[in-house]
Amino acid sequence: MPGSSTADAVFAAMSPVIEGIAATFGRSCEVVLHDYRDPERSVVAVAGSVTGREVGDAMSEIGLRVLAAGDDARNEVGYVTRAQDGRLLKCTTLPLRDVDGTLIGALCVNIDLSAINRATGVLSDLLGLSSVEDSGTTTNFSGDLDQVVDSLVERAERTHAVPVTALGREDRLALVRSLNEAGVFGLRGAPGRIAKRLGISRTGLYNDLAELRKDKS
């Protein structure tokens, strides 16, 4: 990670900006500033309240994905997801970089579309307008990384209709691949957490990761 002085200057400059963005869009908008140097406490500033994020919270699944992308991370603008309570959200994630281009964090804008979508539905009936398209995905915005990891694993359980501890070798490899692509293994202590959740040893998990690396080579 880059030296702290330059990165700290970036976050200090962005902190007042998020207040202005949230105030511009009103109470349905939340703006979150993430410092990726500490993934388990990445939230350094919040304006507005949509997902319930608080300073000191961990990054979400979205943040894990951006962190995993590293230098290849790009702006993700206007994508639609659902919070775990079912509310429809429109989100934008903007990676932040140090002066040398190193990824250091992200600025995230979350807008609650629930009221807007209900109003659009009425207009759709009257005027033939289209309501906001639902992506069908749900994002875990928990401030606890263990809960975020559990959410990813539970999604795999729903996909396979069996507990992850009952997955065959190929299905488990596919799950480990998806967790790796989601950036989970970049977190401190992640292998131990994941191995326990999958019901395998750390050695077994490392063998799976080695198998995936071999497949990519």
Side-chain angles (χ1 to χ4, degrees):
M1 278 295 178
S4 61
S5 58
T6 306
D8 288 344
V10 172
F11 293 119
M14 292 302 302
S15 292
V17 173
I18 72 170
E19 296 288 345
I21 296 173
T24 298
F25 288 96
R27 62 187 178 185
S28 293
C29 177
E30 170 191 83
V31 188
V32 184
L33 184 61
H34 288 275
D35 181 346
Y36 287 170
R37 294 174 296 177
D38 187 358
E40 299 202 40
R41 296 179 56 85
S42 72
V43 177
V44 293
V46 181
S49 181
V50 170
T51 64
R53 310 311 304 278
E54 297 180 352
V55 172
D57 277 354
M59 61 175 59
S60 69
E61 299 168 39
I62 297 167
L64 287 174
R65 184 177 70 243
V66 175
L67 183 60
D71 292 342
D72 294 327
R74 296 292 180 267
N75 291 349
E76 298 183 31
V77 179
Y79 56 92
V80 176
T81 188
R82 282 191 181 275
Q84 287 184 290
D85 61 6
R87 286 175 300 133
L88 196 64
L89 309 180
K90 186 173 185 179
C91 305
T92 288
T93 300
L94 307 175
L96 299 175
R97 302 182 186 279
D98 202 355
V99 290
D100 63 358
T102 302
L103 180 70
I104 58 173
L107 178 70
C108 301
V109 181
N110 305 312
I111 297 178
D112 186 351
L113 295 180
S114 302
I116 298 171
N117 210 33
R118 285 194 296 271
T120 301
V122 174
L123 291 174
S124 177
D125 290 340
L126 293 173
L127 304 173
L129 299 177
S130 298
S131 59
V132 177
E133 183 178 351
D134 187 351
S135 68
T137 61
T138 299
T139 299
N140 189 322
F141 290 101
S142 168
D144 185 328
L145 272 179
D146 284 327
Q147 291 184 25
V148 172
V149 170
D150 275 346
S151 178
L152 291 167
V153 173
E154 287 165 4
R155 191 173 301 161
E157 289 180 324
R158 290 193 297 272
T159 298
H160 295 282
V162 296
V164 291
T165 52
L167 292 177
R169 169 75 171 168
E170 291 304 316
D171 286 338
R172 192 180 76 230
L173 278 174
L175 171 57
V176 172
R177 180 184 295 108
S178 68
L179 292 173
N180 190 42
E181 291 172 349
V184 171
F185 291 105
L187 302 174
R188 184 171 55 251
R193 297 176 185 177
I194 299 299
K196 182 178 180 180
R197 187 66 175 81
L198 298 184
I200 60 176
S201 67
R202 288 170 63 103
T203 300
L205 179 60
Y206 286 131
N207 288 339
D208 286 350
L209 290 170
E211 183 73 19
L212 294 177
R213 286 193 291 270
K214 185 174 66 176
D215 290 344
K216 292 179 66 177
S217 62

